[in-house]
């Protein structure tokens, strides 16, 4: 193993494996990407539109809030029309959890301590077992139990982990271990410290998130810092980037975080320069256009777009397709790290899109052939 490869290797924390529908979470499963709809759940068509767009962007799992009975009634149609497993977000009323399980939810997001007596918790657990649901214990710094706040004086990692332990014990005492856990906070330091402590305290899969992170730009930065620290240290089995934005953007940011750490490989990874007076074409405009036009690509492909020859050839050697700006409106195109041909500015974007799409088609065919070979009887 080269020194660079060894330096980049992330050893994930060992954890149990559970399933959210057909999606494995924990164990040796890939780190899954989640988002949550922000439509009214009773708006079935609008909610399904968000779910389908999120799934097309790569969402493995989508969460839907179920605050009332009308929402759980609508959930049945949403589950039936969804291309990905649905997590029902439940707070306070245990009946909503039972109704969501009956409606086909793949997972119930609850805090066992806030849905009532032990008898009610047992009813929810029975429904989860009867309908094959997993659960997520969702601890949040903004809604910790009053006695824990009095004991610790403020939200802190110890209080959050103690809250998680309480909820874990409730499920374990009722012979239910098919769950994952989150300990979210809007403060990056608090969230990271709580997850680190929880990772040492149990072997259940962990759902990562910096809750209420903010808008698209600020929330992306906060989530990247917090989730990046945890993922780099091997902690985390599924993630949700919480943004005050379109859920599709949460999915895109989630994948960019995972791709930057070499943990998931989906879509085009663009390497581009910030541009300067040396640029041979408008790098900023070109990259924005390429990102939009290549958003449909699912195969893992790397593309470098560099405005001049200072760093362009070096970056191109490491990418599947590369472009380096040259003088007189003539730019060098690299394929598999090698100089291949030149292209003019006007035809440049269409040409790069075509090259990436061609590469994606080859990779998709290879993947299909490998899958078919694996399915052949031995």
């Amino acid at each position: 193993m080269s020194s660079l490869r060894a330096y980049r290797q992330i050893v994930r924390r060992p954890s149990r494996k559970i399933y959210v529908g057909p999606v494995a979470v924990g164990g040796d499963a890939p780190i899954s990407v989640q988002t949550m709809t922000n439509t009214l759940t009773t708006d079935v068509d609008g909610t399904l539109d968000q779910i389908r767009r999120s799934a097309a962007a790569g969402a493995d799992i989508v969460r839907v809030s179920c605050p009332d009975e009308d929402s759980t009634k609508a959930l049945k149609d949403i589950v039936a029309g969804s291309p990905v497993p649905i997590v029902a977000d439940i707070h306070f009323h245990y009946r909503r959890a039972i109704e969501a399980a009956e409606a086909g939810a793949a997972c119930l997001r609850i805090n066992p301590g806030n849905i009532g007596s032990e008898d009610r918790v047992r009813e929810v657990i029975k429904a989860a077992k009867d309908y094959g649901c997993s659960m997520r214990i969702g601890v949040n710094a903004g809604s910790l139990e009053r006695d824990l706040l009095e004991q610790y004086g403020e939200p802190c990692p110890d209080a959050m982990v103690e809250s998680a332990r309480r909820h874990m014990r409730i499920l374990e005492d009722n012979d239910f271990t098919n769950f994952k856990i989150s300990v979210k906070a809007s403060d990056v330091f608090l969230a990271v410290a709580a997850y680190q402590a929880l990772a040492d305290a149990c072997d259940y899969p962990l759902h990562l998130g910096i809750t209420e992170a903010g808008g698209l730009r600020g929330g992306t930065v906060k989530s990247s810092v917090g989730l990046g620290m945890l993922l780099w240290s091997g902690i985390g089995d599924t993630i949700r980037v919480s943004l005050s934005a379109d859920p599709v953007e949460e999915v895109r940011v989630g994948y960019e975080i995972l791709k930057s750490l070499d943990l998931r490989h989906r879509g085009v990874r663009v390497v581009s320069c910030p541009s300067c007076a040396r640029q041979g074409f408008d790098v900023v405009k070109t990259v924005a256009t390429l990102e939009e036009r290549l958003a449909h690509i699912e195969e893992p492909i790397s593309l470098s777009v560099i405005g001049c020859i200072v760093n362009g050839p070096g970056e191109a050697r490491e990418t599947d397709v590369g472009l380096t700006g040259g003088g007189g409106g003539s730019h060098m195109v690299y394929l598999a790290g090698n100089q291949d041909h030149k292209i003019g500015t006007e035809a440049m974007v269409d040409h790069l899109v075509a090259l990436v799409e061609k590469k994606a088609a080859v990779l998709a065919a290879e993947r299909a052939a490998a899958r078919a070979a694996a399915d052949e009887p031995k």
Side-chain angles (χ1 to χ4, degrees):
M1 179 182 292
S2 70
S3 59
L4 177 59
R5 184 176 294 275
Y7 182 74
R8 295 174 60 179
Q9 188 177 30
I10 292 174
V11 179
R12 287 178 60 189
R13 158 187 170 269
S15 71
R16 307 184 189 202
K17 181 186 290 185
I18 69 165
Y19 285 86
V20 177
V23 177
V25 176
D28 60 353
I31 297 170
S32 54
V33 176
Q34 303 190 28
T35 187
M36 184 174 181
T37 57
N38 55 26
T39 53
L40 289 175
T41 305
T42 50
D43 176 9
V44 174
D45 291 338
T47 301
L48 277 173
D49 177 67
Q50 268 195 0
I51 292 171
R52 288 167 181 151
R53 289 191 298 107
S54 298
D60 300 297
I61 300 166
V62 176
R63 181 157 46 112
V64 175
S65 181
C66 293
D68 50 41
E69 189 173 0
D70 288 340
S71 296
T72 53
K73 287 180 179 178
L75 191 67
K76 185 174 183 179
D77 291 332
I78 292 169
V79 168
S82 173
V84 294
I86 297 298
V87 177
D89 192 78
I90 308 296
H91 285 281
F92 304 117
H93 207 300
Y94 80 106
R95 284 297 312 170
R96 302 293 84 80
I98 296 171
E99 292 160 3
E102 293 171 345
C107 180
L108 306 175
R109 188 276 190 194
I110 63 170
N111 277 346
N114 72 12
I115 58 174
S117 65
E118 289 189 14
D119 287 342
R120 290 181 173 182
V121 172
R122 278 193 288 270
E123 287 189 55
V124 172
I125 293 172
K126 182 179 184 304
K129 289 180 177 179
D130 289 347
Y131 292 95
C133 296
S134 56
M135 288 191 190
R136 171 160 74 91
I137 295 172
V139 175
N140 193 303
S143 56
L144 284 172
E145 296 93 318
R146 181 176 299 177
D147 69 303
L148 289 177
L149 288 176
E150 291 176 353
Q151 177 183 347
Y152 290 97
E154 62 180 358
C156 64
D158 287 343
M160 294 174 69
V161 172
E162 177 56 31
S163 177
R165 285 179 179 275
R166 287 182 179 182
H167 302 320
M168 289 162 54
R169 283 193 292 269
I170 293 172
L171 297 183
E172 290 170 340
D173 287 348
N174 285 277
D175 194 30
F176 190 88
T177 57
N178 187 25
F179 62 86
K180 56 187 186 293
I181 316 173
S182 64
V183 281
K184 295 185 179 183
S186 59
D187 181 272
V188 171
F189 293 96
L190 176 55
V192 169
Y195 275 112
Q196 289 171 334
L198 183 61
D200 291 335
C202 73
D203 66 349
Y204 290 104
L206 300 185
H207 169 108
L208 300 189
I210 305 298
T211 194
E212 296 146 2
L216 181 56
R217 180 181 299 173
T220 294
V221 172
K222 283 182 68 175
S223 296
S224 299
V225 171
L227 300 188
M229 291 172 66
L230 291 165
L231 292 166
W232 180 82
S233 63
I235 296 172
D237 303 289
T238 182
I239 66 171
R240 189 254 173 126
V241 177
S242 298
L243 302 175
S244 300
D246 189 320
V248 170
E249 296 297 336
E250 296 188 347
V251 178
R252 289 173 176 166
V253 173
Y255 269 102
E256 290 302 321
I257 293 172
L258 293 177
K259 285 193 290 186
S260 71
L261 292 169
D262 208 24
L263 289 169
R264 283 287 295 267
H265 303 280
R266 184 188 192 279
V268 180
R269 178 175 63 85
V270 178
V271 177
S272 61
C273 67
S275 79
C276 69
R278 292 190 304 267
Q279 64 181 350
F281 57 90
D282 188 335
V283 174
V284 173
K285 181 179 179 181
T286 300
V287 170
T289 303
L290 286 169
E291 285 184 333
E292 181 178 348
R293 292 187 56 182
L294 295 173
H296 65 289
I297 301 294
E298 297 183 10
E299 301 300 322
I301 296 172
S302 54
L303 168 66
S304 58
V305 181
I306 309 297
C308 75
I309 62 171
V310 173
N311 293 320
E315 295 292 355
R317 282 196 298 269
E318 305 299 324
T319 54
D320 297 310
V321 179
L323 177 75
T324 295
S330 181
H331 317 297
M332 181 59 69
V333 175
Y334 298 74
L335 298 178
N338 300 309
Q339 288 188 10
D340 195 271
H341 58 276
K342 290 188 175 182
I343 190 72
T345 303
E346 289 188 6
M348 181 176 64
V349 170
D350 288 340
H351 186 62
L352 289 175
V353 169
L355 289 174
V356 171
E357 289 180 335
K358 180 179 179 181
K359 176 70 174 177
V362 170
L363 291 176
E366 291 174 350
R367 186 158 54 92
R371 189 164 54 240
D375 291 339
E376 289 181 358
K378 299 293 189 289

